Amino acid sequence: MTYPTYHNLIGGEWVPAASGKTLLNLNPADDADVVGAFPSSHAEDVANAVAAAKKAFASWRLVPAPKRAEILVRAGSILQERKEQYARDMTREMGKVLAETRGDVQEAIDEAFYVAGEGRRLFGVTTPSELQNKFAMSVRMPVGVVGMITPWNFPMAIPSWKLFPALVSGNTCVIKPAEDTPLSTYNLVQTLIDAGLPPGVVNIVAGLGPDAGAPLVEHPDVRAISFTGSSEIGSLVGQRAAASFKPVSLEMGGKNAQIVLNDANLDLALNGALWGAFGTTGQRCTATSRILLQKGIAAEFTKEFIARAKALKVGNGLDESVEVGPQVNEAQIATSTKYVEIAVKEGAEVLTGGRALTGGGYANGTFFEPTVFGGVTPKMRIAREEVFGPVVSLIEFDTFEQAIEIANSIEYGLSTALYTKDVNRAFTAIRDLEAGITYINAPTIGAEVHLPFGGVKQTGNGHREGLGAIDFFTTWKSVYVDYSDRLQRAQIDNAE
Ligand code: ADP
């Protein structure tokens, strides 16, 4: 079949990788459908992209922030016009269902309009000087060339969380999209170009992580790295960047718990759990992977949850009636399969699912049955390790305090949810759950762009996207203006 060939974007020009090699982007619902060939880039391509970004920084940093923001406003409007097409492209390359890929594009639209407002804020502080006739303030400065490494599960939203705040802050960017889903980054950047972004301000280098991501992290002219992906690679990226004291923002894994108390609205809790566990085929860092059930409702919840999980329609996400799309690739299927084996060996029971779907309409794709484990105890690996697939564990508990303890007993700390009608317990949970995000009577997934996004423990290294991204993409400059016309020595002339 024929398919388009894409190039890297370097200094406003589309250029093939120096190696001349490409990687095929396949539709996970149908591997006969090739979305396109994308460059397989290496250090040389990265160096060219960084040089172009460095050159563009000289003028981009001088563009007034409100003018930079106008480009984001235009980009948001163009994305609105192209939403359907970009959602279809995304379903083809990533697999998740159309309703969700429309949501992914919508998130980029929301981010564009939210961040554009920063063009007229980017607030610093003014404060009194301790000396007479002296003015003190702090202003935000761009960092310089920023490197971005993104995952495949939110192929447009996550690049937008990084690119838009970096751009409005006056930085120039080199982005290395996930090898499974580069097209959505291309669509996003094409939108920025059509909105008037000057050449070289955003550059794309596509390729494999070790080939194209690692040299970006190590390049001396890259002043900061923003990474979203697995904790394993995040740790590597953080360590490499530390060698040159490069700031790194790391957003990584989760093992998110939904707690259901005896007094919960059970139907609501069931709907939330189903969406949290199987939305995006379980491939969200905020996906519900543990459902903690108080004993009074456990039997009824379990029976009904299994029935609803069984009824989910799995298939090609381009079919509007499908509820659960494929997993993104064979490696993810292998991981889900491996964890089923581990769980069963540890004594968990497969209540439904547990296998890859093959044959019939599933023959050419990477599909996995929605899978529910019962009899799970908090120490089992299936209750502690991230699977990133349509796999969820049911864990029973007696008291509210036990539920909080179990929820916190893992190494991750991204999202949590509590279903209850008891306001006292709700606020206690908000205080005590060790996570960057807590939902009350809503599923663990569903972040909005204007709140801080990120987690504690092994989920992140303290930075936040959304509200907080500007803090990462700017650096402070403190400014003192002395209009006394004489030498004033701080802490000396004004002592006493
Ligand atoms: P996921 O399992 O969600 O794909 P990864 O952490 O493997 O998460 O990948 C996230 C991003 O990190 C991808 O763009 C990938 O290409 C990139 N990556 C993988 N290995 C490295 C590496 N050694 N250095 C830099 N980036 C990497």
Side-chain angles (χ1 to χ4, degrees), residues 187-402:
N187 285 341
L188 185 69
V189 173
Q190 185 62 53
T191 301
L192 284 165
I193 294 167
D194 295 342
L197 195 76
V201 175
V202 172
N203 304 273
I204 310 176
V205 181
L208 299 174
D211 297 344
L216 188 58
V217 174
E218 277 160 19
H219 198 293
D221 287 335
V222 173
R223 296 278 180 247
I225 291 285
S226 181
F227 169 89
T228 301
S230 62
S231 294
E232 187 196 344
I233 302 297
S235 167
L236 211 69
V237 166
Q239 290 177 53
R240 291 242 173 96
S244 57
F245 310 108
K246 203 171 280 181
V248 195
S249 167
L250 302 171
E251 289 297 342
M252 299 166 295
K255 190 71 191 174
N256 313 290
Q258 171 177 318
I259 303 170
V260 187
L261 300 185
N262 286 338
D263 72 343
N265 175 338
L266 220 55
D267 189 53
L268 185 70
L270 281 158
N271 282 336
L274 206 70
W275 173 228
F278 302 121
T280 322
T281 319
Q283 302 173 121
R284 293 197 191 201
C285 47
T286 52
T288 305
S289 56
R290 298 180 295 157
I291 305 176
L292 278 45
L293 300 170
Q294 198 161 19
K295 292 231 166 99
I297 48 87
E300 189 186 348
F301 185 101
T302 302
K303 184 165 154 266
E304 187 57 28
F305 188 68
I306 295 168
R308 293 188 193 193
K310 276 194 165 123
L312 288 170
K313 183 170 176 191
V314 180
N316 188 328
L318 289 171
D319 172 347
E320 299 268 6
S321 69
V322 163
E323 294 163 288
V324 179
Q327 290 213 254
V328 75
N329 57 32
E330 287 289 352
Q332 294 302 127
I333 294 286
T335 303
S336 297
T337 307
K338 179 184 89 179
Y339 272 97
V340 171
E341 283 165 19
I342 291 169
V344 169
K345 218 175 265 172
E346 286 180 314
E349 186 188 350
V350 178
L351 301 177
T352 182
R355 284 170 312 173
L357 287 158
T358 50
Y362 300 120
N364 296 329
T366 43
F367 296 93
F368 203 86
E369 293 175 319
T371 299
V372 182
F373 292 109
V376 176
T377 60
K379 291 221 167 1
M380 291 181 180
R381 286 181 64 190
I382 193 69
R384 315 180 70 79
E385 297 174 18
E386 187 176 48
V387 180
F388 229 62
V391 174
V392 65
S393 299
L394 307 184
I395 303 173
E396 298 187 16
F397 65 88
D398 288 306
T399 66
F400 172 69
E401 290 70 25
Q402 278 174 354

Side-chain angles (χ1 to χ4, degrees), residues 139-225:
V139 293
R140 289 182 185 272
M141 309 292 284
V143 174
V145 177
V146 181
M148 297 164 179
I149 299 174
T150 54
W152 45 260
N153 63 338
F154 279 84
M156 186 173 285
I158 291 178
S160 80
W161 295 356
K162 299 185 189 305
L163 286 171
F164 293 172
L167 292 173
V168 84
S169 303
N171 303 289
T172 55
C173 311
V174 177
I175 185 164
K176 204 298 281 174
E179 47 272 33
D180 285 302
T181 59
L183 178 57
S184 296
T185 294
Y186 277 70
N187 285 341
L188 185 69
V189 173
Q190 185 62 53
T191 301
L192 284 165
I193 294 167
D194 295 342
L197 195 76
V201 175
V202 172
N203 304 273
I204 310 176
V205 181
L208 299 174
D211 297 344
L216 188 58
V217 174
E218 277 160 19
H219 198 293
D221 287 335
V222 173
R223 296 278 180 247
I225 291 285

Side-chain angles (χ1 to χ4, degrees), residues 60 66-83 86 104-116 156 159-160 163-165 167-168 185-198 202:
W60 180 245
K67 291 281 169 213
R68 298 195 292 248
E70 282 172 19
I71 294 175
L72 296 186
V73 172
R74 283 198 291 278
S77 301
I78 297 170
L79 283 173
Q80 282 175 321
E81 288 162 19
R82 299 179 186 169
K83 180 172 169 179
Y86 285 175
D104 197 304
V105 180
Q106 185 58 46
E107 206 163 315
I109 295 166
D110 297 341
E111 177 76 359
F113 294 140
Y114 165 56
V115 172
M156 186 173 285
S160 80
L163 286 171
F164 293 172
L167 292 173
V168 84
T185 294
Y186 277 70
N187 285 341
L188 185 69
V189 173
Q190 185 62 53
T191 301
L192 284 165
I193 294 167
D194 295 342
L197 195 76
V202 172

